[in-house]
Amino acid sequence: MSDPSRPNRTSRLARAAVVYGVRGKLCPAEAATQLLEAIVEPGDRVAIEGDNQKQADFLAAALAKVDPARVHDLHMVQSVIALPEHLDVFERGVANRLDFAFAGPQSRKLAELVASKALKIGAIHTYLELYARMLVDLTPQVALVVADKADRDGNLYTGPNTEDTPTIVEAAAFRGGVVVAQVNEIVDRLPRVDIPSDWIDFVVPSPKPYLIDPLFTRDPAKIRNENVLMAMMAISAVYEPYQVQRLNHGIGYATAAIELILPTFAAQRGLKGKVARHFVLNPHPTLIPAIETGFVDSVYCFGSELGMERYVSNRADVFPVGADGNLRSNRALAQVAGQYACDLFIGGTLQIDAAGNSSTATKDRITGFGGAPNMGADARGRRHDTPAWLRAGQEAGESLRGRKLVVQMVQTYQPNGAPSFVERLDAFDLAASAGFALPPVMIHGDDVSHVITERGVANLLRCRSPQEREAALRAVAGDTDFGRRQSPEATDNLRRRGIVMFPSDLGIDDGTATRDWLAAKTIDELVTASGGLYAPPAKFRRTVGAAA
């Protein structure tokens, strides 16, 4: 008996068969838009692969060119809105509804389209939340994904950047959906099979390699003394006392500074083998010195990073490398590992309010959250213990369970001069203008264990009332309007009780917190530390030596 909830796969494939040039599973690039017009029906849910690195950019452009008279009212389900074509479908009337996780460079344009009623947002999800809903109630009728290579049977090789591909394909393929893969080339034999051909309906060789961005590369030359000071406080106030061995770092210069002072500052404190041994992390180039000095035992990856391929392949003792010699990454599994296997998430934000709530959704921008709410949430289903988890729970007054360490590292002012600490998040105004039932808070204050600024550390686990939490946040907010509303006497009281720690309380002399602690101060020095295996993308190369 047929299931009326399943897409009419047979008729879709029959229509695709008459598209000019399609032979078996192979569809020439020039027929891609025709193929999509044949398999996509009005009102479909369509998933386009586009995480925060690799993009199914050719298929996104092909979808943006379909005839709105034939294909319209689509419900787009995708991890990241990164390309202009991702929003072109709404401006052209091809799509009208969106469920997503992160917008990044398209955040302002997205806000404009929401304001003009050109699209309706179902929800801003976390990555795991969106993947889960793809398997439950947001299953795509059509999935457009991307891979490095395909053979003539339609098997896919994703190479180091597997990322979202298996999750999206499985959600569609096992509910009667149609799966189309954009690939860089067709080969006779794959290095390994990452996605079996049984799950793939059509393969389109793209005229040029898919777009991928080195989002996780931070140039050590741009790390400032303030970042080093914050990194020293993070190690002294969090990594060392909690014996944090399993962790995830967000993207930023403050966390890059932590990675680069592990072999110097942390080693001087006798912490090698005691902290930061197991990471859930993309292959950050700034992690190279810590790996090479034996600080890091393992790294499980969400995706890869441009230029790190040879280095990763040569460190199969640290990274998950297949028999083909290349990394195998998986964004969904890494999100799970970050939530349940890690003791610490340390990231940043744009705004923090008096309750410790944080958000990257500000006025006129609908940015989304990506994986931060998964990483930065206390995993209440966790049952295994570690010293870090137990100590955090004890400090929070938990008698039956531990706590995950969730740290926000943020300077008191953003690079654009806006204060990071505010009385009220812009997210509340955004909720009203966009019609959200709740404000888009990235990490809720009751999940945050510590906040670190260049002023000091607020240990929120030790606070026993909302008033104490607010006072601790004001104590580290520096010379902002938010911080100036706190009396020096109140801050001194918090310092005596160990709720607030300034650098001097941690035995750190501000004057010694300089770039001299960095194990590598330039991209060139990262290349040297890698034994010449790291090949930085062109925009990071400063000298001939750095390009070697």
Side-chain angles (χ1 to χ4, degrees), residues 350-402:
L350 296 180
Q351 289 186 335
I352 299 176
D353 68 11
N357 301 310
S358 64
S359 185
T360 53
T362 57
K363 293 177 181 176
D364 304 320
R365 294 182 65 180
I366 303 179
T367 307
F369 312 124
N374 297 136
M375 306 293 176
D378 188 36
R380 298 187 68 85
R382 175 175 166 174
R383 291 297 179 269
H384 71 282
D385 64 83
T386 58
W389 189 73
L390 290 173
R391 173 167 174 163
Q394 290 162 1
E395 287 193 359
E398 298 275 7
S399 60
L400 292 177
R401 56 185 300 275

Side-chain angles (χ1 to χ4, degrees), residues 421-484:
F421 292 85
V422 296
E423 301 293 341
R424 185 174 185 271
L425 297 176
D426 286 356
F428 287 88
D429 295 328
L430 180 59
S433 64
F436 299 148
L438 295 170
V441 172
M442 181 174 68
I443 297 178
H444 291 279
D446 56 2
D447 275 324
V448 178
S449 64
H450 297 75
V451 174
I452 302 175
T453 71
E454 74 276 16
R455 176 70 169 158
V457 180
N459 185 338
L460 304 183
L461 293 172
R462 296 175 179 172
C463 297
R464 290 297 177 265
S465 71
Q467 293 76 23
E468 272 192 345
R469 290 172 62 85
E470 181 177 332
L473 292 169
R474 292 189 190 278
V476 298
D479 187 32
T480 61
D481 288 343
F482 184 90
R484 287 194 292 269

Side-chain angles (χ1 to χ4, degrees), residues 24-164:
K25 292 190 176 185
L26 297 184
C27 174
E30 60 270 19
T33 295
Q34 289 177 269
L35 174 68
L36 296 182
E37 288 179 338
I39 63 175
V40 181
E41 298 182 353
D44 273 351
R45 284 187 298 274
V46 177
I48 301 182
E49 184 170 12
D51 50 54
N52 56 13
Q53 285 184 286
K54 73 172 183 174
Q55 304 291 332
D57 53 345
F58 180 71
L59 290 179
L63 183 66
K65 295 174 185 174
V66 299
D67 182 358
R70 298 181 61 177
V71 180
H72 52 83
D73 296 319
L74 299 184
H75 180 173
M76 305 307 298
V77 180
Q78 57 195 101
S79 297
V80 177
I81 308 297
L83 307 175
E85 292 85 355
H86 290 159
L87 296 180
D88 287 348
V89 292
F90 296 98
E91 292 190 296
R92 295 194 65 237
V94 173
N96 60 12
R97 188 174 178 86
L98 171 67
D99 279 273
F100 76 111
F102 185 68
Q106 301 301 321
S107 57
R108 294 189 186 278
K109 181 68 172 180
L110 177 59
E112 292 172 8
L113 292 175
V114 170
S116 67
K117 311 298 183 185
L119 72 85
K120 170 69 175 176
I121 293 177
I124 304 174
H125 300 71
T126 73
Y127 285 135
L128 274 182
E129 184 180 11
L130 188 65
Y131 301 150
R133 291 196 65 194
M134 283 188 187
L135 299 169
V136 179
D137 64 331
L138 288 181
T139 304
Q141 279 92 11
V142 176
L144 311 178
V145 298
V146 58
D148 280 24
K149 300 175 175 64
D151 62 19
R152 300 184 189 284
D153 293 323
N155 296 297
L156 301 185
Y157 173 68
T158 56
N161 295 285
T162 303
E163 304 214 36
D164 297 1

Side-chain angles (χ1 to χ4, degrees), residues 241-493:
Y242 293 92
Q243 302 174 54
V244 176
Q245 297 198 26
R246 309 176 318 186
L247 67 159
N248 167 262
H249 278 182
I251 314 170
Y253 289 105
T255 47
I258 294 174
E259 292 159 15
L260 286 170
I261 70 170
L262 285 173
T264 58
F265 180 75
Q268 187 183 88
R269 297 177 75 93
L271 298 179
K272 183 177 177 180
K274 298 178 181 178
V275 302
R277 294 175 56 200
H278 305 284
F279 281 86
V280 178
L281 199 68
N282 276 54
H284 288 191
T286 46
L287 204 58
I288 291 171
I291 293 172
E292 292 304 306
T293 54
F295 239 93
V296 179
D297 291 348
S298 70
V299 182
Y300 186 74
C301 301
F302 302 84
S304 187
E305 183 68 355
L306 280 178
M308 286 288 284
E309 295 85 359
R310 283 194 303 154
Y311 178 75
V312 169
S313 293
N314 276 269
R315 293 309 308 259
D317 56 322
V318 174
F319 296 93
V321 173
D324 64 313
N326 278 318
L327 178 75
R328 162 76 180 202
S329 59
N330 189 299
R331 187 165 297 273
L333 294 182
Q335 291 287 334
V336 172
Q339 188 171 25
Y340 276 97
C342 287
D343 292 317
L344 166 68
F345 165 78
I346 186 163
T349 187
L350 296 180
Q351 289 186 335
I352 299 176
D353 68 11
N357 301 310
S358 64
S359 185
T360 53
T362 57
K363 293 177 181 176
D364 304 320
R365 294 182 65 180
I366 303 179
T367 307
F369 312 124
N374 297 136
M375 306 293 176
D378 188 36
R380 298 187 68 85
R382 175 175 166 174
R383 291 297 179 269
H384 71 282
D385 64 83
T386 58
W389 189 73
L390 290 173
R391 173 167 174 163
Q394 290 162 1
E395 287 193 359
E398 298 275 7
S399 60
L400 292 177
R401 56 185 300 275
R403 276 283 299 269
K404 185 174 185 178
L405 294 163
V406 177
V407 179
Q408 294 279 34
M409 288 186 79
V410 59
Q411 290 190 245
T412 52
Y413 284 93
Q414 296 291 319
N416 65 1
S420 300
F421 292 85
V422 296
E423 301 293 341
R424 185 174 185 271
L425 297 176
D426 286 356
F428 287 88
D429 295 328
L430 180 59
S433 64
F436 299 148
L438 295 170
V441 172
M442 181 174 68
I443 297 178
H444 291 279
D446 56 2
D447 275 324
V448 178
S449 64
H450 297 75
V451 174
I452 302 175
T453 71
E454 74 276 16
R455 176 70 169 158
V457 180
N459 185 338
L460 304 183
L461 293 172
R462 296 175 179 172
C463 297
R464 290 297 177 265
S465 71
Q467 293 76 23
E468 272 192 345
R469 290 172 62 85
E470 181 177 332
L473 292 169
R474 292 189 190 278
V476 298
D479 187 32
T480 61
D481 288 343
F482 184 90
R484 287 194 292 269
R485 292 192 174 97
Q486 172 114 312
S487 71
E489 293 76 19
T491 296
D492 288 343
N493 177 267

